[in-house]
Amino acid sequence: MSEHITEEVLKSLPDASGHFGKYGGRFVSETLMAALDELNETYQKLSKDKDFLAEFDRDLNYYVGRPSPLYHAERWSRTVGGAQIYLKREDLNHTGAHKVNNTIGQALLAKFMGKPKVIAETGAGQHGVASATVAARLGLECKVFMGAVDVERQSLNVYRMKLLGAEVEAVQSGSKTLKDALNEALRHWVTHVDDTFYIIGTVAGPHPYPQMVRDFQAVIGREAKQQCIAQTGRLPDALVACVGGGSNAIGLFYPFIANQQVAMYGVEAAGLGLSTGKHSAPLCAGRSGVLHGNRTYLMQDDNGQIIETHSVSAGLDYPGVGPEHAWLKDIGRANYVSITDEEALAAFHKLTQLEGIIPALESSHALAYAEKLAATMRPDQTIVVNLSGRGDKDIHTVAALDGVQV
Amino acid sequence: MSRIQDCFAALSAKQHKALIPYITAGDSHPSMTVPLMHGLVKAGADIIELGIPFSDPMADGPVIQLACERALRHGINIQQVLAMVAEFRQTDQLTPVVLMGYLNPIENMGYDTFALAAAEAGVDGVLTVDLPPEEADLLSTALNTHHIDSIFLLSPTTEDARIAQIAKASSGYLYYVSLKGVTGAASLNVSDVAERLNLIRQHTTLPIAVGFGIKDGASAQAISALADGVVVGSALVSQIGAEQENQDVALAKVTAILAEMRHAMDS
């Protein structure tokens, strides 16, 4: 990696205007600028406030069920025959994925800012469920924007959100998937900016969202670091996490960012294969551009129009990625690789059969890459994989692919 | 003097206000755009805002989203939009043309390449909806080099200190977004607009155009009593959407709405 980038710089970004190198920033229409200023000011203050942080920690412990275990997948590691693979069990969190770490934090912010209404966008529905969950608990009115195609694909999560008291709006514009849900949430926010807090689900969007969501998710990496040292006596050799928008990956990576001996691998969805164009891998196969409030790597055509993405996992089906990942790629601190639908499905079955853990299809991308990586390493080396979510929500998808009617 | 400055100076001498229609380039068919631009001028347009279609128009309501989708179905890109402006310029050297759109297609083309090509086509101003002045230095410098005005938005939520900062970054005119919402919204409050314009004028001498929520002669008249210019978009674009099969009818309907606004504003 570039030698002029010091540990202080690595840990200090974004800068005051929300940039990670040339990425990040605030690219929104003028009406939202005041709301972002207000949010940024509040967040920068509360992120150093002992009471706020204590309440956040308390909720993570007693409501989410943290710390989540770091589990040595011995049988799977033995089968691979290389490095020891440890799983950070975010799948055991309340609501079944890492998403809730962030929604707890943002809902607390909404409460501190006196906003009675929250909105969220969702793809697979996990962030929508996590938002509806915290909204129910804090008595906030919650509206979730979800592409009409995803509403169809993820009817179970739609019903969960409704049970939790949220209103789910099926978005009919554009490709009717996650990116359109984000557009519609921004449109709603601009119209109801006075009383509404927008809970963005990943480390993308305008500043301060990429920083804020990273900080809330960084609990994953902080715990993993302590747990790894406690169990193995040292830091891991490599970290592996799937990257859609990139919140679970940055949550794992960030506390290790200055430990340059720890290699970091972000795994994007190669869908049907990078060469087919039917994938969701902007870091591996896209170019820099501006969308949804930040500059980052995007899937776009020759004219700068955003193109539709494909992945078997709805949670990775997004044409952009968090700006900090774009920056970590450019400076060479993290490696970004990709895994196809087929490889992810194979890993899904393998972990289920060898360890009795059914992983989310998103996390299965990380597992599939970890397996390849482990095989190139020694048995005395360690890989920590973020098992970002559980696979219950994907049972229907997998069954359909296997030709089984459930 | 730029074409935009000339335009506002000439209007001011006649004690008239600028009527600024917005259409999306290539909507509903690429062959329609240049005739429509000429038709708008004949019906009383002083400046034309020409939209560069984008796949993800986050600040726009459903009417302009659909217009973008229609244009993109014909594969409209910036080069084609600029060719339309150049064609318009062959017979109209007076009416300023302002491109309005989102940053990504422009960034994808490259700021300098875009600014040069836009100047050669006869573009007078550029308004990039998702580009606040804080992020705009490089694009504004490129545009400035080619004597193209950078037009920025002001909103009901823009705080005092920012008004001055935005005015300083702007040239040509300022675009005041009359309401919290997306294009095509319905809840325009004239007295709120009056109050905000008074405040904005304490910070700038640039002309101020007002848009969002203006849809007919009455709303155009009410706003033109306060502002230097009136922008109308969704009310026109919805007619283009409704008459996709019959371009002549669409053109007649759009120009009739604009003529009614012109009449209301000047009487």
Side-chain angles (χ1 to χ4, degrees), chain A residues 19 25-31 33-34 173-174 179 183 186-187 190-191 194 287 289-290 292 295 300 302-306, chain B residues 53-58 60 65 69 72 77 103-105 107-108 111 129-130 132 134-135 153 155 157-158 162 166 180-182:
Chain A
H19 293 92
R26 294 193 295 182
F27 296 87
V28 294
S29 63
E30 178 58 26
T31 311
M33 289 299 280
S173 61
K179 80 176 174 73
N183 290 337
L186 285 166
R187 288 178 188 124
V190 90
T191 311
D194 294 331
R287 286 181 288 123
V290 172
H292 293 152
R295 180 177 285 118
Q300 54 184 318
D302 292 342
N303 297 319
Q305 306 295 344
I306 307 309
Chain B
F54 183 48
S55 53
D56 294 79
M58 290 157 296
D60 285 296
Q65 289 170 44
E69 288 177 20
L72 289 174
N77 59 26
L103 184 61
N104 199 54
E107 182 152 313
N108 178 69
Y111 294 164
V129 181
D130 56 348
E134 286 90 338
E135 301 281 355
L153 300 172
S155 87
T157 58
T158 307
R162 262 184 82 73
I166 293 170
K180 294 171 200 157
V182 291

Short mmCIF file of all heavy atoms in Angstrom, two decimals, chain A residues 19 25-31 33-34 173-174 179 183 186-187 190-191 194 287 289-290 292 295 300 302-306, chain B residues 53-58 60 65 69 72 77 103-105 107-108 111 129-130 132 134-135 153 155 157-158 162 166 180-182:
data_model
loop_
_atom_site.label_atom_id
_atom_site.label_comp_id
_atom_site.label_asym_id
_atom_site.label_seq_id
_atom_site.Cartn_x
_atom_site.Cartn_y
_atom_site.Cartn_z
N HIS A 19 -15.12 13.38 3.31
CA HIS A 19 -14.41 12.71 2.22
C HIS A 19 -13.43 11.66 2.71
O HIS A 19 -12.74 11.85 3.70
CB HIS A 19 -13.65 13.74 1.37
CG HIS A 19 -14.57 14.66 0.63
ND1 HIS A 19 -14.98 15.85 1.16
CD2 HIS A 19 -15.18 14.54 -0.57
CE1 HIS A 19 -15.81 16.43 0.30
NE2 HIS A 19 -15.95 15.66 -0.76
N GLY A 25 -18.37 12.57 0.47
CA GLY A 25 -18.91 13.91 0.24
C GLY A 25 -20.41 13.97 0.44
O GLY A 25 -21.02 13.09 1.06
N ARG A 26 -20.97 15.08 -0.05
CA ARG A 26 -22.43 15.27 0.06
C ARG A 26 -22.96 15.74 -1.28
O ARG A 26 -22.76 16.89 -1.67
CB ARG A 26 -22.76 16.31 1.13
CG ARG A 26 -22.39 15.88 2.53
CD ARG A 26 -23.02 16.78 3.57
NE ARG A 26 -22.50 18.15 3.48
CZ ARG A 26 -22.85 19.12 4.32
NH1 ARG A 26 -23.74 18.89 5.27
NH2 ARG A 26 -22.35 20.32 4.19
N PHE A 27 -23.63 14.86 -1.99
CA PHE A 27 -24.18 15.20 -3.30
C PHE A 27 -25.70 15.02 -3.25
O PHE A 27 -26.23 13.98 -3.63
CB PHE A 27 -23.56 14.31 -4.38
CG PHE A 27 -22.07 14.52 -4.55
CD1 PHE A 27 -21.17 13.82 -3.77
CD2 PHE A 27 -21.59 15.45 -5.47
CE1 PHE A 27 -19.79 14.03 -3.91
CE2 PHE A 27 -20.22 15.66 -5.62
CZ PHE A 27 -19.32 14.95 -4.83
N VAL A 28 -26.35 16.03 -2.71
CA VAL A 28 -27.81 15.98 -2.59
C VAL A 28 -28.37 17.33 -3.02
O VAL A 28 -27.63 18.31 -3.13
CB VAL A 28 -28.26 15.69 -1.14
CG1 VAL A 28 -27.83 14.30 -0.71
CG2 VAL A 28 -27.72 16.75 -0.19
N SER A 29 -29.68 17.38 -3.23
CA SER A 29 -30.28 18.66 -3.58
C SER A 29 -30.29 19.56 -2.36
O SER A 29 -30.23 19.10 -1.22
CB SER A 29 -31.68 18.46 -4.16
OG SER A 29 -32.50 17.90 -3.19
N GLU A 30 -30.35 20.85 -2.60
CA GLU A 30 -30.16 21.85 -1.56
C GLU A 30 -31.08 21.67 -0.36
O GLU A 30 -30.67 21.90 0.78
CB GLU A 30 -30.33 23.25 -2.19
CG GLU A 30 -30.21 24.42 -1.24
CD GLU A 30 -28.89 24.49 -0.49
OE1 GLU A 30 -27.88 23.97 -1.00
OE2 GLU A 30 -28.88 25.06 0.62
N THR A 31 -32.31 21.23 -0.60
CA THR A 31 -33.28 21.13 0.50
C THR A 31 -32.79 20.21 1.61
O THR A 31 -33.14 20.38 2.78
CB THR A 31 -34.64 20.64 -0.05
OG1 THR A 31 -34.96 21.44 -1.18
CG2 THR A 31 -35.74 20.75 0.98
N MET A 33 -29.60 19.78 2.50
CA MET A 33 -28.31 20.16 3.10
C MET A 33 -28.46 20.57 4.57
O MET A 33 -27.63 20.21 5.40
CB MET A 33 -27.66 21.29 2.29
CG MET A 33 -27.14 20.83 0.94
SD MET A 33 -25.85 19.56 1.03
CE MET A 33 -24.41 20.56 1.40
N ALA A 34 -29.52 21.30 4.88
CA ALA A 34 -29.70 21.74 6.27
C ALA A 34 -29.93 20.53 7.18
O ALA A 34 -29.40 20.48 8.30
CB ALA A 34 -30.88 22.71 6.38
N SER A 173 -41.04 2.80 -9.33
CA SER A 173 -40.24 3.53 -10.33
C SER A 173 -38.98 2.75 -10.70
O SER A 173 -38.53 1.86 -9.96
CB SER A 173 -39.87 4.92 -9.81
OG SER A 173 -39.11 4.80 -8.64
N GLY A 174 -38.41 3.09 -11.86
CA GLY A 174 -37.13 2.54 -12.31
C GLY A 174 -37.15 1.02 -12.39
O GLY A 174 -38.06 0.42 -12.92
N LYS A 179 -32.08 0.26 -5.38
CA LYS A 179 -31.65 1.63 -5.72
C LYS A 179 -32.86 2.55 -5.87
O LYS A 179 -32.80 3.73 -5.51
CB LYS A 179 -30.78 1.64 -6.97
CG LYS A 179 -31.51 1.58 -8.29
CD LYS A 179 -30.53 1.70 -9.47
CE LYS A 179 -31.24 1.50 -10.81
NZ LYS A 179 -32.09 2.62 -11.22
N ASN A 183 -33.95 5.99 -3.88
CA ASN A 183 -34.42 7.22 -4.53
C ASN A 183 -35.72 7.70 -3.89
O ASN A 183 -35.88 8.88 -3.58
CB ASN A 183 -34.69 6.98 -6.02
CG ASN A 183 -33.42 6.75 -6.82
OD1 ASN A 183 -32.35 7.16 -6.41
ND2 ASN A 183 -33.55 6.10 -7.96
N LEU A 186 -35.32 9.11 -0.43
CA LEU A 186 -34.77 10.46 -0.48
C LEU A 186 -35.86 11.47 -0.87
O LEU A 186 -35.93 12.57 -0.32
CB LEU A 186 -33.61 10.54 -1.48
CG LEU A 186 -32.30 9.92 -1.00
CD1 LEU A 186 -31.32 9.73 -2.16
CD2 LEU A 186 -31.64 10.79 0.08
N ARG A 187 -36.72 11.07 -1.81
CA ARG A 187 -37.82 11.95 -2.23
C ARG A 187 -38.77 12.20 -1.07
O ARG A 187 -39.26 13.31 -0.87
CB ARG A 187 -38.58 11.33 -3.40
CG ARG A 187 -37.81 11.35 -4.69
CD ARG A 187 -38.58 10.67 -5.83
NE ARG A 187 -37.71 10.56 -6.99
CZ ARG A 187 -37.42 9.42 -7.63
NH1 ARG A 187 -37.99 8.29 -7.26
NH2 ARG A 187 -36.60 9.42 -8.65
N VAL A 190 -37.09 14.55 1.54
CA VAL A 190 -37.01 15.96 1.14
C VAL A 190 -38.36 16.65 1.37
O VAL A 190 -38.44 17.84 1.63
CB VAL A 190 -36.54 16.06 -0.33
CG1 VAL A 190 -37.67 16.07 -1.32
CG2 VAL A 190 -35.64 17.26 -0.54
N THR A 191 -39.43 15.86 1.31
CA THR A 191 -40.78 16.41 1.47
C THR A 191 -41.18 16.50 2.95
O THR A 191 -42.01 17.32 3.32
CB THR A 191 -41.79 15.53 0.69
OG1 THR A 191 -41.28 15.32 -0.63
CG2 THR A 191 -43.15 16.20 0.59
N ASP A 194 -38.73 18.03 8.09
CA ASP A 194 -38.79 18.64 9.42
C ASP A 194 -38.99 17.61 10.54
O ASP A 194 -38.39 17.75 11.61
CB ASP A 194 -39.93 19.66 9.48
CG ASP A 194 -39.66 20.84 8.57
OD1 ASP A 194 -38.46 21.15 8.37
OD2 ASP A 194 -40.62 21.44 8.05
N ARG A 287 -16.85 1.75 -12.16
CA ARG A 287 -16.01 2.96 -12.25
C ARG A 287 -16.53 3.99 -11.25
O ARG A 287 -17.69 3.95 -10.85
CB ARG A 287 -16.13 3.58 -13.65
CG ARG A 287 -15.40 2.85 -14.73
CD ARG A 287 -15.58 3.57 -16.07
NE ARG A 287 -16.93 3.41 -16.59
CZ ARG A 287 -17.75 4.41 -16.89
NH1 ARG A 287 -17.37 5.66 -16.69
NH2 ARG A 287 -18.95 4.19 -17.37
N GLY A 289 -18.10 7.29 -9.75
CA GLY A 289 -19.20 8.14 -10.17
C GLY A 289 -19.92 8.69 -8.94
O GLY A 289 -19.42 8.56 -7.82
N VAL A 290 -21.07 9.32 -9.16
CA VAL A 290 -21.81 9.94 -8.06
C VAL A 290 -23.25 9.46 -8.08
O VAL A 290 -23.94 9.59 -9.10
CB VAL A 290 -21.78 11.48 -8.17
CG1 VAL A 290 -22.70 12.10 -7.13
CG2 VAL A 290 -20.35 12.00 -7.99
N HIS A 292 -26.73 8.71 -5.11
CA HIS A 292 -27.26 8.61 -3.75
C HIS A 292 -26.42 9.37 -2.73
O HIS A 292 -26.18 8.90 -1.62
CB HIS A 292 -27.41 7.14 -3.33
CG HIS A 292 -28.48 6.42 -4.13
ND1 HIS A 292 -28.44 5.08 -4.36
CD2 HIS A 292 -29.59 6.88 -4.75
CE1 HIS A 292 -29.50 4.74 -5.09
NE2 HIS A 292 -30.20 5.82 -5.35
N ARG A 295 -19.72 10.12 -3.77
CA ARG A 295 -18.89 9.67 -4.90
C ARG A 295 -18.27 8.34 -4.52
O ARG A 295 -17.71 8.19 -3.42
CB ARG A 295 -17.80 10.69 -5.22
CG ARG A 295 -16.93 10.24 -6.41
CD ARG A 295 -15.87 11.26 -6.81
NE ARG A 295 -16.47 12.37 -7.52
CZ ARG A 295 -16.46 13.63 -7.11
NH1 ARG A 295 -15.87 13.95 -5.97
NH2 ARG A 295 -17.02 14.58 -7.82
N GLN A 300 -22.21 1.40 -13.99
CA GLN A 300 -22.82 2.39 -14.89
C GLN A 300 -22.45 2.07 -16.33
O GLN A 300 -21.45 1.39 -16.59
CB GLN A 300 -22.35 3.80 -14.52
CG GLN A 300 -20.83 3.95 -14.45
CD GLN A 300 -20.39 5.34 -13.99
OE1 GLN A 300 -20.97 6.33 -14.42
NE2 GLN A 300 -19.40 5.40 -13.13
N ASP A 302 -21.75 3.42 -20.50
CA ASP A 302 -20.81 4.37 -21.09
C ASP A 302 -21.28 5.82 -20.97
O ASP A 302 -20.49 6.75 -21.10
CB ASP A 302 -20.60 4.05 -22.58
CG ASP A 302 -19.86 2.74 -22.77
OD1 ASP A 302 -19.24 2.27 -21.80
OD2 ASP A 302 -19.93 2.18 -23.89
N ASN A 303 -22.59 6.00 -20.76
CA ASN A 303 -23.14 7.35 -20.67
C ASN A 303 -23.35 7.83 -19.24
O ASN A 303 -23.94 8.88 -19.01
CB ASN A 303 -24.48 7.41 -21.41
CG ASN A 303 -24.32 7.14 -22.89
OD1 ASN A 303 -23.35 7.61 -23.51
ND2 ASN A 303 -25.21 6.37 -23.47
N GLY A 304 -22.90 7.03 -18.27
CA GLY A 304 -23.08 7.45 -16.87
C GLY A 304 -24.47 7.18 -16.33
O GLY A 304 -24.87 7.74 -15.32
N GLN A 305 -25.23 6.32 -17.02
CA GLN A 305 -26.53 5.89 -16.47
C GLN A 305 -26.27 4.66 -15.60
O GLN A 305 -25.45 3.81 -15.95
CB GLN A 305 -27.52 5.54 -17.59
CG GLN A 305 -27.72 6.65 -18.61
CD GLN A 305 -28.37 7.91 -18.04
OE1 GLN A 305 -28.95 7.89 -16.95
NE2 GLN A 305 -28.26 9.00 -18.77
N ILE A 306 -27.00 4.58 -14.48
CA ILE A 306 -26.81 3.46 -13.55
C ILE A 306 -27.45 2.21 -14.17
O ILE A 306 -28.57 2.28 -14.67
CB ILE A 306 -27.46 3.79 -12.19
CG1 ILE A 306 -26.95 5.15 -11.68
CG2 ILE A 306 -27.19 2.67 -11.18
CD1 ILE A 306 -25.45 5.33 -11.65
N PRO B 53 -31.47 13.60 -19.36
CA PRO B 53 -32.10 12.47 -18.67
C PRO B 53 -31.11 11.66 -17.84
O PRO B 53 -29.96 11.49 -18.22
CB PRO B 53 -32.68 11.62 -19.79
CG PRO B 53 -32.07 12.10 -21.05
CD PRO B 53 -31.56 13.49 -20.82
N PHE B 54 -31.59 11.19 -16.68
CA PHE B 54 -30.76 10.37 -15.79
C PHE B 54 -31.61 9.21 -15.25
O PHE B 54 -32.79 9.36 -15.00
CB PHE B 54 -30.23 11.23 -14.63
CG PHE B 54 -29.30 10.49 -13.69
CD1 PHE B 54 -28.25 9.72 -14.19
CD2 PHE B 54 -29.48 10.56 -12.32
CE1 PHE B 54 -27.40 9.03 -13.33
CE2 PHE B 54 -28.62 9.88 -11.45
CZ PHE B 54 -27.58 9.11 -11.96
N SER B 55 -30.95 8.08 -15.08
CA SER B 55 -31.65 6.87 -14.64
C SER B 55 -32.21 6.98 -13.22
O SER B 55 -33.17 6.30 -12.87
CB SER B 55 -30.70 5.66 -14.70
OG SER B 55 -29.51 5.95 -13.97
N ASP B 56 -31.62 7.81 -12.39
CA ASP B 56 -32.01 7.90 -10.98
C ASP B 56 -32.24 9.35 -10.53
O ASP B 56 -31.47 9.87 -9.71
CB ASP B 56 -30.95 7.22 -10.09
CG ASP B 56 -30.90 5.73 -10.37
OD1 ASP B 56 -30.29 5.33 -11.38
OD2 ASP B 56 -31.49 4.97 -9.59
N PRO B 57 -33.29 9.98 -11.07
CA PRO B 57 -33.53 11.40 -10.76
C PRO B 57 -34.15 11.60 -9.38
O PRO B 57 -35.35 11.77 -9.24
CB PRO B 57 -34.48 11.84 -11.88
CG PRO B 57 -35.24 10.60 -12.24
CD PRO B 57 -34.32 9.43 -11.99
N MET B 58 -33.29 11.63 -8.36
CA MET B 58 -33.75 11.58 -6.97
C MET B 58 -34.54 12.80 -6.51
O MET B 58 -35.28 12.70 -5.55
CB MET B 58 -32.54 11.43 -6.04
CG MET B 58 -31.89 10.10 -6.14
SD MET B 58 -30.18 10.19 -5.58
CE MET B 58 -29.48 11.29 -6.78
N ASP B 60 -36.62 14.50 -8.37
CA ASP B 60 -37.79 14.72 -9.21
C ASP B 60 -38.95 13.83 -8.80
O ASP B 60 -38.77 12.70 -8.35
CB ASP B 60 -37.44 14.44 -10.67
CG ASP B 60 -36.62 15.57 -11.26
OD1 ASP B 60 -37.16 16.70 -11.33
OD2 ASP B 60 -35.45 15.35 -11.60
N GLN B 65 -39.55 11.79 -13.57
CA GLN B 65 -38.95 10.44 -13.62
C GLN B 65 -39.36 9.70 -14.88
O GLN B 65 -38.55 9.09 -15.57
CB GLN B 65 -39.43 9.60 -12.44
CG GLN B 65 -38.91 9.98 -11.08
CD GLN B 65 -39.68 9.19 -10.02
OE1 GLN B 65 -39.93 8.01 -10.17
NE2 GLN B 65 -40.07 9.87 -8.96
N GLU B 69 -37.27 8.26 -18.12
CA GLU B 69 -37.35 6.87 -18.61
C GLU B 69 -37.70 6.83 -20.10
O GLU B 69 -37.13 6.04 -20.86
CB GLU B 69 -38.40 6.08 -17.80
CG GLU B 69 -37.92 5.75 -16.39
CD GLU B 69 -38.98 5.02 -15.55
OE1 GLU B 69 -39.91 4.42 -16.13
OE2 GLU B 69 -38.87 5.06 -14.30
N LEU B 72 -34.60 7.87 -22.03
CA LEU B 72 -33.53 6.86 -21.97
C LEU B 72 -33.86 5.63 -22.80
O LEU B 72 -32.96 4.93 -23.26
CB LEU B 72 -33.23 6.47 -20.51
CG LEU B 72 -32.54 7.57 -19.69
CD1 LEU B 72 -32.43 7.17 -18.23
CD2 LEU B 72 -31.17 7.90 -20.26
N ASN B 77 -28.08 10.45 -24.74
CA ASN B 77 -26.93 10.76 -23.89
C ASN B 77 -26.57 12.24 -24.02
O ASN B 77 -27.22 12.98 -24.77
CB ASN B 77 -25.75 9.85 -24.25
CG ASN B 77 -25.33 10.00 -25.70
OD1 ASN B 77 -25.55 11.05 -26.31
ND2 ASN B 77 -24.73 8.96 -26.26
N LEU B 103 -25.33 14.95 -11.58
CA LEU B 103 -23.89 15.03 -11.80
C LEU B 103 -23.30 13.84 -12.56
O LEU B 103 -22.39 14.01 -13.36
CB LEU B 103 -23.17 15.21 -10.46
CG LEU B 103 -21.66 15.41 -10.54
CD1 LEU B 103 -21.33 16.67 -11.35
CD2 LEU B 103 -21.05 15.51 -9.16
N ASN B 104 -23.81 12.62 -12.31
CA ASN B 104 -23.06 11.47 -12.79
C ASN B 104 -22.81 11.44 -14.31
O ASN B 104 -21.69 11.18 -14.73
CB ASN B 104 -23.67 10.15 -12.32
CG ASN B 104 -22.67 9.01 -12.42
OD1 ASN B 104 -21.56 9.11 -11.90
ND2 ASN B 104 -23.01 7.97 -13.17
N PRO B 105 -23.82 11.70 -15.14
CA PRO B 105 -23.52 11.70 -16.58
C PRO B 105 -22.47 12.75 -16.97
O PRO B 105 -21.65 12.50 -17.85
CB PRO B 105 -24.88 12.01 -17.22
CG PRO B 105 -25.89 11.54 -16.21
CD PRO B 105 -25.26 11.84 -14.87
N GLU B 107 -20.05 13.97 -14.90
CA GLU B 107 -18.76 13.52 -14.36
C GLU B 107 -18.19 12.39 -15.23
O GLU B 107 -16.99 12.30 -15.46
CB GLU B 107 -18.94 13.06 -12.91
CG GLU B 107 -17.62 12.61 -12.28
CD GLU B 107 -17.61 12.82 -10.77
OE1 GLU B 107 -17.99 13.89 -10.29
OE2 GLU B 107 -17.19 11.88 -10.06
N ASN B 108 -19.08 11.55 -15.72
CA ASN B 108 -18.68 10.44 -16.57
C ASN B 108 -18.05 10.93 -17.87
O ASN B 108 -17.10 10.34 -18.37
CB ASN B 108 -19.93 9.59 -16.87
CG ASN B 108 -19.65 8.43 -17.79
OD1 ASN B 108 -18.97 7.48 -17.41
ND2 ASN B 108 -20.15 8.50 -19.01
N TYR B 111 -15.40 16.80 -16.75
CA TYR B 111 -15.86 18.19 -16.62
C TYR B 111 -15.37 19.07 -17.77
O TYR B 111 -16.13 19.85 -18.34
CB TYR B 111 -15.38 18.79 -15.29
CG TYR B 111 -15.98 18.16 -14.04
CD1 TYR B 111 -15.40 18.38 -12.80
CD2 TYR B 111 -17.14 17.38 -14.11
CE1 TYR B 111 -15.95 17.83 -11.64
CE2 TYR B 111 -17.70 16.83 -12.97
CZ TYR B 111 -17.10 17.05 -11.73
OH TYR B 111 -17.64 16.51 -10.59
N VAL B 129 -28.50 19.33 -10.17
CA VAL B 129 -29.40 19.26 -9.02
C VAL B 129 -28.73 18.70 -7.77
O VAL B 129 -28.95 19.18 -6.66
CB VAL B 129 -30.62 18.38 -9.37
CG1 VAL B 129 -31.59 18.31 -8.21
CG2 VAL B 129 -31.31 18.90 -10.60
N ASP B 130 -27.88 17.68 -7.95
CA ASP B 130 -27.29 17.02 -6.78
C ASP B 130 -25.86 17.48 -6.52
O ASP B 130 -25.07 16.74 -5.95
CB ASP B 130 -27.36 15.49 -6.92
CG ASP B 130 -26.69 14.98 -8.20
OD1 ASP B 130 -26.39 15.80 -9.08
OD2 ASP B 130 -26.49 13.76 -8.32
N PRO B 132 -24.15 20.50 -4.60
CA PRO B 132 -24.12 21.74 -3.84
C PRO B 132 -22.78 22.46 -4.06
O PRO B 132 -21.81 21.82 -4.49
CB PRO B 132 -24.27 21.28 -2.39
CG PRO B 132 -23.80 19.87 -2.37
CD PRO B 132 -24.03 19.31 -3.75
N GLU B 134 -20.41 23.30 -2.24
CA GLU B 134 -19.27 22.72 -1.53
C GLU B 134 -18.49 21.72 -2.38
O GLU B 134 -17.30 21.53 -2.18
CB GLU B 134 -19.74 21.97 -0.27
CG GLU B 134 -20.17 22.85 0.88
CD GLU B 134 -21.65 23.18 0.83
OE1 GLU B 134 -22.24 23.09 -0.27
OE2 GLU B 134 -22.21 23.55 1.87
N GLU B 135 -19.19 21.06 -3.28
CA GLU B 135 -18.56 20.00 -4.09
C GLU B 135 -18.32 20.47 -5.53
O GLU B 135 -17.91 19.67 -6.37
CB GLU B 135 -19.45 18.75 -4.11
CG GLU B 135 -19.75 18.14 -2.75
CD GLU B 135 -18.59 17.30 -2.21
OE1 GLU B 135 -17.57 17.11 -2.92
OE2 GLU B 135 -18.70 16.84 -1.05
N LEU B 153 -29.15 25.98 -6.63
CA LEU B 153 -30.47 26.01 -6.00
C LEU B 153 -30.40 26.64 -4.62
O LEU B 153 -29.41 26.50 -3.90
CB LEU B 153 -31.00 24.57 -5.83
CG LEU B 153 -31.19 23.73 -7.10
CD1 LEU B 153 -31.52 22.29 -6.71
CD2 LEU B 153 -32.29 24.31 -7.96
N SER B 155 -33.20 26.76 -1.20
CA SER B 155 -34.43 26.08 -0.80
C SER B 155 -35.02 26.74 0.43
O SER B 155 -34.38 27.58 1.07
CB SER B 155 -34.13 24.61 -0.51
OG SER B 155 -33.73 24.48 0.84
N THR B 157 -35.16 25.56 3.18
CA THR B 157 -34.38 25.19 4.37
C THR B 157 -32.97 25.78 4.36
O THR B 157 -32.22 25.56 5.30
CB THR B 157 -34.24 23.65 4.45
OG1 THR B 157 -33.61 23.19 3.26
CG2 THR B 157 -35.58 22.96 4.60
N THR B 158 -32.62 26.53 3.31
CA THR B 158 -31.27 27.08 3.25
C THR B 158 -31.09 28.17 4.31
O THR B 158 -31.87 29.12 4.36
CB THR B 158 -30.99 27.69 1.86
OG1 THR B 158 -31.28 26.71 0.87
CG2 THR B 158 -29.54 28.11 1.73
N ARG B 162 -25.57 30.28 4.43
CA ARG B 162 -25.42 29.52 3.18
C ARG B 162 -25.93 30.29 1.98
O ARG B 162 -25.44 30.12 0.87
CB ARG B 162 -26.21 28.20 3.27
CG ARG B 162 -25.40 27.01 3.64
CD ARG B 162 -26.24 25.74 3.59
NE ARG B 162 -26.37 25.19 2.23
CZ ARG B 162 -25.39 24.56 1.58
NH1 ARG B 162 -24.22 24.43 2.15
NH2 ARG B 162 -25.58 24.09 0.37
N ILE B 166 -23.90 30.45 -1.41
CA ILE B 166 -24.43 29.93 -2.67
C ILE B 166 -24.50 31.04 -3.72
O ILE B 166 -24.15 30.82 -4.89
CB ILE B 166 -25.83 29.28 -2.45
CG1 ILE B 166 -25.67 28.02 -1.59
CG2 ILE B 166 -26.49 28.94 -3.78
CD1 ILE B 166 -26.98 27.42 -1.10
N LYS B 180 -40.59 22.39 0.13
CA LYS B 180 -39.87 21.19 0.52
C LYS B 180 -40.53 20.03 -0.20
O LYS B 180 -41.66 19.67 0.12
CB LYS B 180 -39.97 20.98 2.03
CG LYS B 180 -39.26 22.05 2.84
CD LYS B 180 -39.57 21.90 4.31
CE LYS B 180 -39.30 23.21 5.03
NZ LYS B 180 -40.06 23.33 6.28
N GLY B 181 -39.85 19.48 -1.18
CA GLY B 181 -40.46 18.39 -1.91
C GLY B 181 -39.76 18.16 -3.22
O GLY B 181 -38.65 18.65 -3.43
N VAL B 182 -40.41 17.40 -4.08
CA VAL B 182 -39.84 17.08 -5.38
C VAL B 182 -40.57 17.87 -6.46
O VAL B 182 -41.59 18.51 -6.18
CB VAL B 182 -39.95 15.57 -5.67
CG1 VAL B 182 -39.03 14.78 -4.75
CG2 VAL B 182 -41.39 15.09 -5.54
#
